[in-house]
Amino acid sequence: MDDFEDERSTLAWFLTGARGIFSLPAVILMLSFVGFCSLTVQAGIPPEQVVFMTGIVWALPAKVILVSSILSGASLATAFLAVTLSSVRLMPMVAALVPELRSSKTPTWLLLVLSHFVAITAWVFAMERVPQVPRDHRVAFFAGFGITLVAANMVLVGIVYHLVADFPPLVAGCLFFLTPVYFLTSIWHSARQPVIYVALAIGLVAGPLFYWIAPEFDILLAGVIGGTLAWGAERFWRSRREARP
């Protein structure tokens, strides 16, 4: 009887996570995928490959890099390296989220599988809502949201592929731009430490500056330098506080 109750409870939390598909983060991401789908149509990528790409290369920026590599005629090795480097940024998100999901009963292989679904939208959604979920059911909750979100976007891309061919580039670009705007505002709103505000502020200023100085490395330089300066400022403030009597 207890096993039945546990199974039913796990399923209930999975479905609760799945209902997150109707949340604002998920809706914004799906609109962004409509813009991405327009890009793939212009690149001449077949719809079945776009659907497959949506499920396998989950993070939207990585998919844009892959499509851009295809358009530029880059080699497979170059495209692989570019997508891999863009996905390294997700490692800190996985490192922050996994301890929130793990319980004493969670197998490592399951956490490895679920890490595939960690991208900007899933991470923001989970970090905001997981603390209110009982720890033994957090894995089911996140799995419900992550799997449903990926499946919904795969279906969406397959449906709208032939409908977005006539989208003006400005409309497609605006739809795609919704995700980074939402991510930025969500991180600012949910920040718990002053160092996060400092890092975001420096990045917003440094981004346009490095685009003018080194447009091929603007995001990388803004992120590395902005994060390093914010980390240094946080260490300085902490040492000052500890030094006070």
Side-chain angles (χ1 to χ4, degrees):
M1 184 66 178
D2 290 341
D3 292 340
F4 175 76
E5 291 294 334
D6 289 343
E7 182 178 351
R8 186 176 65 179
S9 180
T10 298
L11 178 60
W13 280 108
F14 182 92
L15 295 176
T16 300
R19 286 198 294 271
I21 194 67
F22 301 107
S23 64
L24 181 60
V27 171
I28 290 178
L29 180 66
M30 294 174 74
L31 290 174
S32 300
F33 264 94
V34 175
F36 166 74
C37 196
S38 177
L39 175 65
T40 61
V41 171
Q42 297 173 20
I45 301 176
E48 61 274 10
Q49 293 184 19
V50 178
V51 173
F52 179 78
M53 184 189 305
T54 301
I56 298 301
V57 187
W58 171 227
L60 190 55
K63 280 188 278 289
V64 173
I65 291 174
L66 180 57
V67 174
S68 300
S69 300
I70 294 173
L71 288 174
S72 65
S75 65
L76 179 61
T78 301
F80 174 81
L81 179 62
V83 172
T84 300
L85 290 176
S86 75
S87 300
V88 169
R89 64 193 169 83
L90 301 177
M91 186 180 299
M93 295 184 185
V94 174
L97 181 59
V98 165
E100 298 294 329
L101 300 179
R102 186 195 300 271
S103 72
S104 58
K105 302 177 183 178
T106 308
T108 301
W109 67 265
L110 182 56
L111 294 172
L112 292 174
V113 171
L114 292 180
S115 66
H116 173 72
F117 301 99
V118 178
I120 291 174
T121 301
W123 185 81
V124 171
F125 179 89
M127 293 299 288
E128 289 181 350
R129 293 166 173 79
V130 156
Q132 284 75 50
V133 178
R135 181 166 290 275
D136 287 343
H137 301 294
R138 291 180 181 182
V139 166
F141 176 82
F142 180 74
F145 179 73
I147 293 172
T148 304
L149 187 61
V150 173
N153 279 295
M154 293 175 70
V155 173
L156 175 68
V157 167
I159 292 174
V160 306
Y161 182 88
H162 296 290
L163 304 177
V164 299
D166 298 327
F167 269 25
L170 180 61
V171 174
C174 289
L175 289 173
F176 175 76
F177 195 62
L178 286 174
T179 292
V181 169
Y182 173 77
F183 178 65
L184 177 63
T185 55
S186 297
I187 291 297
W188 187 275
H189 174 71
S190 60
R192 302 173 184 174
Q193 301 293 334
V195 65
I196 298 178
Y197 298 116
V198 175
L200 288 173
I202 295 175
L204 288 173
V205 174
L209 175 63
F210 285 115
Y211 178 78
W212 179 66
I213 297 174
E216 295 182 353
F217 303 97
D218 53 347
I219 297 178
L220 176 63
L221 291 174
V224 172
I225 294 177
T228 302
L229 290 176
W231 174 80
E234 195 272 341
R235 291 292 300 271
F236 175 76
W237 291 334
R238 182 182 299 178
S239 63
R240 290 287 300 272
R241 288 197 304 267
E242 292 175 353
R244 292 176 183 173

